Amino acid sequence: MNYFQKERLTSYDKLLTECDNTTETVASIPLFAKNIARLRVITNTVKQLALEQGQVTTGITTQKNNLLDEVIGLSLDVAGAVHAYAEEKNDTALLEKMDYSSSDFSHIDQSIILTTLEIILVQAQKLSAAELEECGISAVEMTDFVEKLAKLKTSVNEKGLAVIDQSNATKRIGELMTEAANLKKKSLDRLARQFERKAPEFYFKYKAASSITYKSYKKPDTTADTKPAI
């Protein structure tokens, strides 16, 4: 939620509290009571959505980064083994394909990293288990590489879904806050005018709860005073 939405939500909470303290007065105008009930549903829903919106994806990111480090480490070992095999066989094309170092995985897009890891895996799988074993990569290590790479792809998708969920929550919050603002301005405020005459104490509390003072951030005036001293 942004700053303005949070301030409005706080105001709605205050307003609902005042209504809870004066239920008979609120009930004296049925439509007012009905719309207050709707405002309560909206505020509760927004609070729940705010939890989704603010859901921390750090856990997913940390797990993914740890897994990424593991897979990159394995891939460099595998690429190094295949590179040595290509050198032994004087396979220039394969040498170029497997010429990787840890710096090749630094500061590049995640999609490029995944593509590079796939290339290494595909080239390694062209060798027999015996050939890989001769270069120091066991069948167990290759299986580990395959499984962890697949898991890495899944974790990337999980992070993407979390971001989508947050985006949907943000959109829904905006819609509900707009509904709440319209409900208050076009109905509740209009009906509340009657309370100035019928229940003045509640009316002034309603007005006070409705008041929102947004912080104003002004740039400091750096203009020098060039007027001559008198």
Side-chain angles (χ1 to χ4, degrees):
M1 294 180 67
N2 61 39
Y3 168 76
F4 299 102
Q5 289 173 332
K6 289 177 181 177
E7 291 299 306
R8 286 180 185 173
L9 192 63
T10 297
S11 173
Y12 296 152
D13 273 335
K14 292 178 181 177
L15 180 56
L16 291 170
T17 297
E18 293 300 337
C19 289
D20 288 340
N21 292 335
T22 323
T23 55
E24 290 184 6
T25 300
V26 171
S28 67
I29 303 179
L31 182 56
F32 184 85
K34 176 184 175 182
N35 287 338
I36 282 294
R38 176 55 188 164
L39 183 63
R40 190 185 306 280
V41 170
I42 291 173
T43 56
N44 289 338
T45 304
V46 167
K47 288 175 185 177
Q48 186 60 43
L49 287 168
L51 292 176
E52 292 181 31
Q53 185 190 46
Q55 182 182 12
V56 179
T57 57
T58 303
I60 295 175
T61 302
T62 300
Q63 289 180 355
K64 185 199 72 177
N65 288 341
N66 291 339
L67 182 59
L68 180 61
D69 288 342
E70 286 186 50
V71 178
I72 288 176
L74 277 169
S75 72
L76 287 171
D77 287 348
V78 171
V82 177
H83 188 279
Y85 168 86
E87 180 70 33
E88 181 73 14
K89 299 297 182 182
N90 198 27
D91 188 335
T92 305
L94 185 56
L95 276 171
E96 291 179 356
K97 289 178 182 178
M98 293 293 99
D99 188 16
Y100 292 107
S101 66
S102 57
S103 61
D104 292 316
F105 293 94
S106 301
H107 310 298
I108 61 174
D109 187 80
Q110 188 171 257
S111 61
I112 297 176
I113 291 178
L114 289 174
T115 299
T116 303
L117 293 172
E118 284 282 5
I119 291 172
I120 293 173
L121 176 61
V122 168
Q123 294 303 318
Q125 288 177 327
K126 290 180 180 180
L127 275 64
S128 68
E131 289 170 328
L132 285 171
E133 185 79 42
E134 185 180 2
C135 297
I137 301 298
S138 67
V140 172
E141 288 173 310
M142 276 300 295
T143 299
D144 194 29
F145 181 28
V146 171
E147 291 178 350
K148 285 183 176 177
L149 178 55
K151 188 176 178 181
L152 178 63
K153 292 177 183 177
T154 300
S155 70
V156 169
N157 291 333
E158 285 176 353
K159 179 63 182 296
L161 290 174
V163 171
I164 291 171
D165 287 343
Q166 288 178 320
S167 178
N168 289 338
T170 300
K171 179 182 178 182
R172 184 60 180 145
I173 285 173
E175 293 170 347
L176 288 170
M177 291 301 288
T178 297
E179 181 187 347
N182 288 332
L183 185 66
K184 185 176 181 300
K185 180 180 179 180
K186 297 179 180 180
S187 180
L188 291 173
D189 287 352
R190 304 272 181 168
L191 293 171
R193 290 174 58 91
Q194 298 179 43
F195 293 124
E196 185 175 11
R197 173 173 50 86
K198 299 176 180 178
E201 184 179 352
F202 171 70
Y203 175 74
F204 288 116
K205 288 181 178 179
Y206 175 90
K207 294 286 287 183
S210 300
S211 177
I212 302 175
T213 303
Y214 296 117
K215 293 179 182 178
S216 177
Y217 297 95
K218 294 182 179 179
K219 293 183 179 180
D221 185 3
T222 56
T223 304
D225 187 354
T226 57
K227 292 182 180 179
I230 298 176

